Amino acid sequence: MISLLLAYITITLFAMILLGIYGVATRSNLIKKIIMLNVMGDAINMLFILIGYRLVFPVFPPIYESHITFEEFLSRAVDPVPQALVLTAVVIGMAMNILLTTYAIQFYRLHGTVDARDMAEVVGGEDL
Amino acid sequence: MKRDVIVALSFLIAFLFIAYAVTARNVLGIGGAELRPLGEFYLSHSFAHEGLTSHSPEVVTAIVWNYRGFDTLFETFVFFLAIMGALSVLRLDGEQLKQARELEAAMPHRMMDLIVRATTKLVVIMIVAISASIALHGHLTPGGGFQGGSAMAVAALLLFAAFSKFTLERKGLTLKHTISAYALGLAIILATVLAPVFLYGGKILEINLLPGETGLFNLDVGEYTAVTFGFLTVFLVLGIPEWVFKAVLRRELND
């Protein structure tokens, strides 16, 4: 039952990743591109966390407390490695968001559009 | 039209293939009861191993500082670079800033409803308390400097929405102050990272300045300050109203 639920969640997350790729590729509005990039990134992070989950009951967070024995801790705690990896990805995603939003806003202020199709025309470059 | 069909079909095929691989074959190994060997190594070694100095009972934090310390440090650098990029793109110079102030002062001052303002004040106090607890307890429980700072950034966003950028600046939260506080946070991080080298000739990132399990406390404080005020700096720069910015740009074009 639980493993079926996990499979459903995994498939949903993969669908979200594909949706994010599709949105980044096909939407021409820069803000929508950023939103879809975030959807994709969050789905990937979620998938990482899910890989580290263990099907035991009760499951502990990876924090060692002195009132449980070390063997019990090892047999109950979830995998800490994916969480440590996602920590980095979240920070980098935040920095990426700041930079992308800044550029989109500045582009709008200078040229009055955030549409990727209009960019070549608005900036005055040659037709791509 | 034909291209859309091909794209949709290829996405559908990819999705079906992934769904088959994940459910029928379980290629990701999701839902197992036993631990992976790498996870077991980190769980059993990260806070009991010789020569590792974060002394944190929380294994994620222990991994991040004991095994991935440089990674975490460079993460701070990446965040710094993003903020500097935003600042350098959206910056107004002194003359333009003066013009923006004049334009804002000339406009009639509009405020949100009293209910919104009072509720925001209460909620902001709660968010500050919670984010401080996330950040300053981050070496013992889930959380840490960056997470607490992100929660603080939400409080700043609420203040920007309910009041305005200029109200905050009148209360003393100017760009100069936030950048100074951001630099202070970065300085705390740098001092904590470099302190072992100068104090007792250890290696950098060897964090055992404080006794017991509190070795990461000052790093958490530094990261919390840096992230909070880094976000505030970006919000202050992004928060200039659109019409003010356009008027300033137009004046620059006319000159």
Side-chain angles (χ1 to χ4, degrees):
Chain A
M1 184 64 204
I2 292 287
S3 59
L4 191 68
L5 193 67
L6 283 183
Y8 276 141
I9 295 174
T10 319
I11 291 173
T12 315
L13 289 176
F14 270 112
M16 274 172 75
I17 294 171
L18 288 176
L19 194 73
I21 296 172
Y22 179 77
V24 169
T26 57
R27 300 296 104 177
S28 58
N29 191 322
L30 287 187
I31 304 298
K32 285 182 186 169
K33 270 189 204 289
I34 295 174
I35 291 173
M36 293 319 280
L37 207 60
N38 272 309
V39 167
M40 189 166 72
D42 288 346
I44 292 173
N45 287 345
M46 186 84 188
L47 193 66
F48 255 68
I49 296 288
L50 198 66
I51 288 175
Y53 186 72
R54 278 173 91 185
L55 266 187
V56 289
F57 183 83
V59 62
F60 289 168
I63 302 171
Y64 182 62
E65 291 167 42
S66 46
H67 63 80
I68 49 173
T69 61
F70 196 74
E71 283 71 34
E72 196 185 356
F73 174 67
L74 267 188
S75 63
R76 298 270 180 223
V78 298
D79 196 345
V81 182
Q83 296 191 25
L85 292 175
V86 163
L87 211 59
T88 309
V90 167
V91 178
I92 304 299
M94 205 76 121
M96 183 196 74
N97 261 335
I98 289 176
L99 207 58
L100 285 179
T101 319
T102 305
Y103 285 147
I105 288 178
Q106 184 72 351
F107 196 86
Y108 177 72
R109 281 173 177 172
L110 291 176
H111 302 297
T113 177
V114 283
D115 200 312
R117 286 171 300 192
D118 299 343
M119 274 186 176
E121 185 187 342
V122 162
V123 178
E126 291 170 17
D127 227 0
L128 294 174
Chain B
M1 196 61 215
K2 196 180 162 196
R3 216 169 71 179
D4 287 352
V5 174
I6 294 175
V7 168
L9 268 180
S10 57
F11 268 91
L12 190 68
I13 290 171
F15 177 71
L16 287 178
F17 177 70
I18 290 170
Y20 170 72
V22 166
T23 50
R25 295 286 158 132
N26 200 7
V27 284
L28 290 176
I30 287 175
E34 72 277 4
L35 205 57
R36 287 178 189 76
L38 189 65
E40 194 175 341
F41 171 80
Y42 280 128
L43 277 182
S44 50
H45 285 83
S46 57
F47 54 89
H49 200 266
E50 286 294 313
L52 300 177
T53 48
S54 79
H55 301 300
S56 174
E58 202 230 318
V59 180
V60 176
T61 309
I63 290 174
V64 162
W65 286 108
N66 290 336
Y67 295 98
R68 296 166 59 89
F70 281 107
D71 185 64
T72 311
L73 201 59
F74 290 138
E75 199 177 276
T76 310
F77 289 169
V78 169
F79 190 65
F80 173 77
L81 284 179
I83 286 174
M84 286 304 125
L87 264 182
S88 60
V89 169
L90 292 182
R91 179 176 66 98
L92 294 175
D93 61 21
E95 188 61 32
Q96 288 170 328
L97 213 57
K98 209 183 287 174
Q99 288 176 8
R101 293 254 165 72
E102 282 169 15
L103 280 171
E104 167 64 20
M107 279 292 283
H109 189 59
R110 284 176 299 180
M111 281 194 287
M112 290 278 244
D113 200 41
L114 178 67
I115 299 173
V116 175
R117 281 182 287 145
T119 318
T120 309
K121 278 177 195 166
L122 285 177
V123 170
V124 162
I125 291 172
M126 289 185 223
I127 294 178
V128 169
I130 289 172
S131 74
S133 105
I134 293 173
L136 305 183
H137 216 245
H139 50 288
L140 302 176
T141 52
F146 191 86
Q147 286 76 7
S150 311
M152 258 304 267
V154 176
L157 272 183
L158 271 181
L159 282 179
F160 272 83
F163 301 93
S164 73
K165 168 184 184 292
F166 294 96
T167 315
L168 290 184
E169 283 187 339
R170 269 200 296 277
K171 297 285 181 197
L173 201 75
T174 58
L175 203 58
K176 206 180 287 177
H177 291 165
T178 58
I179 291 183
S180 310
Y182 182 46
L184 178 73
L186 289 178
I188 293 176
I189 294 175
L190 198 65
T192 316
V193 166
L194 289 180
V197 181
F198 295 108
L199 284 183
Y200 51 88
K203 297 194 185 77
I204 65 170
L205 286 167
E206 237 179 40
I207 311 145
N208 46 4
L209 304 173
L210 295 173
E213 293 173 343
T214 54
L216 286 171
F217 180 74
N218 35 8
L219 260 172
D220 270 343
V221 171
E223 188 84 19
Y224 181 46
T225 318
V227 171
T228 304
F229 286 100
F231 272 120
L232 256 174
T233 309
V234 173
F235 291 154
L236 277 179
V237 170
L238 286 176
I240 300 172
E242 199 57 43
W243 59 271
V244 170
F245 198 89
K246 271 188 182 156
V248 170
L249 272 185
R250 210 166 288 138
R251 271 192 208 177
E252 192 185 19
L253 285 180
N254 289 340
D255 282 346

